Coordinates of all heavy atoms in Angstrom, one line a residue:
G1049 N 148.2 102.8 -9.8 CA 147.5 102.2 -8.6 C 146.5 103.1 -8.0 O 146.5 103.4 -6.8
K1050 N 145.6 103.6 -8.8 CA 144.6 104.6 -8.4 C 143.2 104.1 -8.7 O 142.9 103.5 -9.7 CB 144.8 105.9 -9.1 CG 143.9 107.0 -8.7 CD 144.2 108.4 -9.4 CE 143.3 109.5 -8.9 NZ 143.6 110.8 -9.6
L1051 N 142.3 104.3 -7.7 CA 140.9 104.0 -7.9 C 140.0 105.1 -7.3 O 140.3 105.6 -6.2 CB 140.6 102.7 -7.1 CG 139.1 102.2 -6.9 CD1 138.5 101.9 -8.3 CD2 139.0 101.1 -6.0
T1052 N 139.0 105.5 -8.1 CA 138.1 106.5 -7.7 C 136.7 106.1 -7.9 O 136.4 105.4 -8.9 CB 138.3 107.9 -8.4 OG1 138.1 107.7 -9.8 CG2 139.7 108.4 -8.2
Y1053 N 135.8 106.5 -7.0 CA 134.3 106.4 -7.2 C 133.8 107.8 -7.4 O 133.9 108.7 -6.6 CB 133.6 105.8 -6.0 CG 134.0 104.4 -5.6 CD1 133.8 104.0 -4.2 CD2 134.5 103.5 -6.5 CE1 134.1 102.7 -3.8 CE2 134.8 102.2 -6.1 CZ 134.6 101.8 -4.8 OH 134.9 100.5 -4.4
R1054 N 133.1 108.0 -8.5 CA 132.5 109.3 -8.9 C 133.6 110.5 -8.7 O 133.2 111.6 -8.3 CB 131.3 109.6 -8.0 CG 130.2 108.6 -8.1 CD 129.5 108.7 -9.5 NE 128.2 107.9 -9.5 CZ 127.5 107.7 -10.6 NH1 127.9 108.1 -11.8 NH2 126.4 107.0 -10.6
G1055 N 134.8 110.2 -8.9 CA 135.9 111.2 -8.8 C 136.5 111.3 -7.5 O 137.5 112.0 -7.3
Y1056 N 136.0 110.6 -6.5 CA 136.6 110.6 -5.1 C 137.6 109.5 -4.9 O 137.3 108.3 -5.3 CB 135.5 110.5 -4.0 CG 134.6 111.6 -3.9 CD1 133.4 111.6 -4.6 CD2 134.9 112.7 -3.1 CE1 132.5 112.7 -4.5 CE2 134.0 113.8 -3.0 CZ 132.8 113.8 -3.7 OH 132.0 114.9 -3.6
D1057 N 138.8 109.8 -4.4 CA 139.8 108.8 -4.2 C 139.4 107.7 -3.2 O 138.9 108.1 -2.2 CB 141.1 109.4 -3.8 CG 142.3 108.4 -3.9 OD1 142.5 107.8 -2.8 OD2 142.9 108.3 -4.9
I1058 N 139.7 106.5 -3.5 CA 139.2 105.4 -2.6 C 139.8 105.5 -1.2 O 139.2 105.1 -0.2 CB 139.5 104.0 -3.2 CG1 138.9 102.9 -2.5 CG2 141.0 103.8 -3.3 CD1 137.4 102.9 -2.4
S1059 N 141.1 106.0 -1.1 CA 141.7 106.1 0.2 C 141.0 107.1 1.1 O 140.8 106.9 2.3 CB 143.2 106.4 0.1 OG 143.3 107.7 -0.5
E1060 N 140.5 108.1 0.5 CA 139.7 109.1 1.2 C 138.3 108.6 1.7 O 137.9 108.7 2.8 CB 139.5 110.4 0.4 CG 140.7 111.2 0.1 CD 141.0 112.1 1.3 OE1 140.2 112.9 1.6 OE2 142.1 112.0 1.9
L1061 N 137.7 107.9 0.7 CA 136.3 107.3 1.0 C 136.4 106.2 2.1 O 135.6 106.2 3.0 CB 135.7 106.8 -0.3 CG 135.4 107.8 -1.4 CD1 134.9 107.1 -2.6 CD2 134.3 108.8 -0.9
A1062 N 137.4 105.3 1.9 CA 137.5 104.2 2.8 C 137.8 104.6 4.3 O 137.5 103.9 5.2 CB 138.5 103.2 2.3
T1063 N 138.5 105.7 4.4 CA 139.0 106.1 5.8 C 138.1 107.1 6.4 O 138.2 107.3 7.6 CB 140.4 106.6 5.7 OG1 140.6 107.7 4.8 CG2 141.4 105.5 5.3
K1064 N 137.3 107.8 5.6 CA 136.5 108.9 6.1 C 135.0 108.7 6.0 O 134.2 109.5 6.6 CB 136.9 110.2 5.4 CG 138.3 110.6 5.7 CD 138.7 111.9 5.0 CE 140.1 112.3 5.2 NZ 140.5 113.6 4.5
K1065 N 134.6 107.7 5.2 CA 133.1 107.6 4.9 C 132.7 106.1 5.2 O 133.6 105.2 5.2 CB 132.8 108.0 3.5 CG 133.0 109.4 3.2 CD 132.1 110.3 4.0 CE 132.3 111.8 3.7 NZ 131.4 112.7 4.5
S1066 N 131.4 105.9 5.4 CA 130.9 104.5 5.6 C 130.5 103.9 4.3 O 130.4 104.6 3.3 CB 129.7 104.6 6.6 OG 128.6 105.2 5.9
Y1067 N 130.2 102.6 4.3 CA 129.7 101.9 3.1 C 128.4 102.5 2.6 O 128.2 102.7 1.4 CB 129.5 100.4 3.4 CG 129.0 99.7 2.2 CD1 129.7 99.6 1.1 CD2 127.7 99.1 2.3 CE1 129.2 98.9 0.0 CE2 127.2 98.4 1.2 CZ 127.9 98.3 0.1 OH 127.4 97.6 -1.0
L1068 N 127.5 102.9 3.6 CA 126.3 103.5 3.1 C 126.5 104.9 2.4 O 125.8 105.2 1.5 CB 125.3 103.7 4.3 CG 124.6 102.5 4.9 CD1 123.5 102.9 5.8 CD2 124.1 101.6 3.8
D1069 N 127.5 105.6 2.9 CA 127.9 106.9 2.1 C 128.2 106.5 0.7 O 127.8 107.2 -0.2 CB 129.1 107.5 2.8 CG 128.8 108.2 4.1 OD1 127.7 108.9 4.2 OD2 129.6 108.1 5.1
I1070 N 129.0 105.4 0.5 CA 129.4 105.0 -0.8 C 128.3 104.6 -1.6 O 128.2 104.9 -2.8 CB 130.5 103.9 -0.7 CG1 131.9 104.5 -0.5 CG2 130.6 103.1 -1.9 CD1 132.1 105.4 0.6
C1071 N 127.3 103.8 -1.0 CA 126.1 103.4 -1.8 C 125.4 104.6 -2.3 O 124.9 104.7 -3.4 CB 125.2 102.6 -0.9 SG 125.9 100.9 -0.5
Y1072 N 125.2 105.6 -1.4 CA 124.4 106.8 -1.8 C 125.2 107.5 -2.9 O 124.6 108.0 -3.9 CB 124.3 107.7 -0.6 CG 123.3 108.8 -0.8 CD1 122.0 108.7 -0.4 CD2 123.7 110.0 -1.4 CE1 121.1 109.8 -0.7 CE2 122.8 111.1 -1.6 CZ 121.5 111.0 -1.3 OH 120.6 112.0 -1.5

């Protein structure tokens, strides 16, 4: 049950970064 974008865990990204951060 793991998902990463460019090696970053989705739970970290979704709670600490914005959608524009993810786009970049």
Side-chain angles (χ1 to χ4, degrees):
K1050 182 178 181 179
L1051 168 65
T1052 63
Y1053 297 156
R1054 300 291 191 188
Y1056 292 95
D1057 190 270
I1058 190 62
S1059 61
E1060 290 279 301
L1061 292 173
T1063 55
K1064 297 179 181 178
K1065 297 294 180 180
S1066 71
Y1067 177 66
L1068 284 195
D1069 288 317
I1070 274 59
C1071 290
Y1072 191 95

